[in-house]
Amino acid sequence: MTEYKQEQEMEIEALEAILMDEFKEIHSSESGLNTSNRCFQITVTPQDDDLEESSLPPVQLGLVFSHTENYPDEVPLLDVKSIRGIHVSDLTILKEKLEQEASENLGMAMMYTLVSSAKDWLSEHYGLDDGADNAEEEAAKEDEVIVPHGEPVTLETFLAWRERFEAELALERAKLMPESALTAPKEKKLTGRQWFESGKARGVVVTADQGSEDEDEEDIDFEDEDFEDDEEDMLEHYLAEKSDSSAPISRS
């Protein structure tokens, strides 16, 4: 046995001991290599510590090699094939990378070095970490607070809004007029505007007369259209008063 042959046998024994089930001998006819020498295939997967042993990795690579007569002073015959999930274009790139590294490691047993390089390349291009990073980016986008950009608030716009709001609030309170105001005799009945201006629109407490059950109820002629007109008059009057009262205010 020549010195080259002896060194090749020692490397094969070491690979079998280290890689175990990932290392196997195959027939030269299924290797894809132009040789009749012994051929071997090493199964390479991306490095992923979180992957359970019972789970199938998303991608797997078959690294096929055969020793030449003067290996390791010559590069070995190499080929790569996809066992699961690897694009053909990526196989071409990886094969060229491994052949370049083999030429840089002449004079020493290099197959385990090439296996490690192929594993790192798979982890970089097909590793699960990339998917996790993308998921984190998507989650960060969803958590991102979207701040609406509307009209900027100034003192003038705030005062105008407040006047409008208070006017609408007063109008709603005016709708809670007591029945006593509505049941007044027609000749003394107050309009909505008169009742509002009299200052009785706030803090009205309605009390029921327990002894009035026997009294005759008087029909009230209170039309919705009249009340709507009163509402508009009340709102205009209130806004006018607010405008007069806020006129001296100047912005510092």
Side-chain angles (χ1 to χ4, degrees):
M1 181 180 293
T2 64
E3 183 179 349
Y4 288 123
K5 196 70 172 176
Q6 185 177 2
E7 191 168 356
Q8 293 168 13
E9 290 295 334
M10 291 177 60
E11 182 181 44
I12 291 172
E13 291 178 4
L15 291 173
E16 285 178 329
I18 297 173
L19 301 174
M20 295 184 289
D21 294 340
E22 296 176 349
F23 181 87
K24 68 177 180 178
E25 185 172 358
I26 60 176
H27 195 274
S28 60
S29 61
E30 59 178 311
S31 67
L33 302 175
N34 186 19
T35 183
S36 58
N37 294 338
R38 297 176 67 188
C39 297
F40 305 90
Q41 177 175 302
I42 301 173
T43 302
V44 183
T45 58
Q47 182 66 37
D48 185 13
D49 297 333
D50 296 332
L51 187 65
E52 298 180 1
E53 294 183 0
S54 58
S55 302
L56 289 175
V59 294
Q60 276 188 320
L61 171 74
L63 174 56
V64 181
F65 75 95
S66 178
H67 291 136
T68 58
E69 184 177 352
N70 295 326
Y71 174 87
D73 289 338
E74 294 177 344
V75 296
L77 298 177
L78 296 173
D79 194 16
V80 290
K81 60 182 181 180
S82 174
I83 298 177
R84 182 182 301 108
I86 302 177
H87 304 300
V88 176
S89 58
D90 288 337
L91 292 175
T92 303
I93 295 173
L94 178 58
K95 182 179 179 180
E96 293 175 353
K97 171 183 171 59
L98 296 178
E99 288 175 342
Q100 177 63 31
E101 291 189 13
S103 65
E104 295 171 356
N105 287 275
L106 291 175
M108 58 182 291
M110 65 185 75
M111 286 311 305
Y112 189 76
T113 300
L114 299 182
V115 171
S116 299
S117 179
K119 184 182 291 287
D120 291 341
W121 189 90
L122 282 180
S123 298
E124 180 181 351
H125 292 79
Y126 289 92
L128 298 180
D129 291 340
D130 294 339
D133 292 340
N134 293 335
E136 290 178 0
E137 291 179 4
E138 293 297 328
K141 290 180 180 179
E142 292 179 0
D143 294 339
E144 211 175 287
V145 178
I146 300 176
V147 180
H149 300 283
E151 181 182 354
V153 178
T154 63
L155 179 61
E156 290 77 9
T157 57
F158 172 75
L159 291 176
W161 169 84
R162 189 179 66 178
E163 290 180 2
R164 182 73 182 180
F165 173 77
E166 291 179 351
E168 292 177 354
L169 182 62
L171 186 59
E172 289 298 323
R173 288 176 176 174
K175 292 180 180 180
L176 302 177
M177 294 170 61
E179 293 185 6
S180 59
L182 300 178
T183 57
K186 292 184 179 181
E187 60 274 8
K188 296 181 180 181
K189 184 178 67 172
L190 299 176
T191 65
R193 179 171 180 175
Q194 291 173 337
W195 182 82
F196 178 78
E197 293 176 351
S198 67
K200 298 178 181 180
R202 301 187 181 187
V204 177
V205 179
V206 180
T207 59
D209 187 358
Q210 300 296 331
S212 62
E213 294 180 357
D214 297 332
E215 295 181 0
D216 294 334
E217 295 181 359
E218 182 178 355
D219 294 335
I220 305 300
D221 185 11
F222 197 81
E223 297 293 340
D224 290 340
E225 295 179 358
D226 296 337
F227 191 68
E228 290 176 359
D229 294 337
D230 290 340
E231 286 183 356
E232 296 179 359
D233 294 339
M234 291 159 59
L235 183 57
E236 292 177 1
H237 179 74
Y238 184 85
L239 289 175
E241 286 187 349
K242 292 296 292 183
S243 176
D244 295 340
S245 61
S246 59
I249 298 176
S250 62
R251 185 174 180 179
S252 57

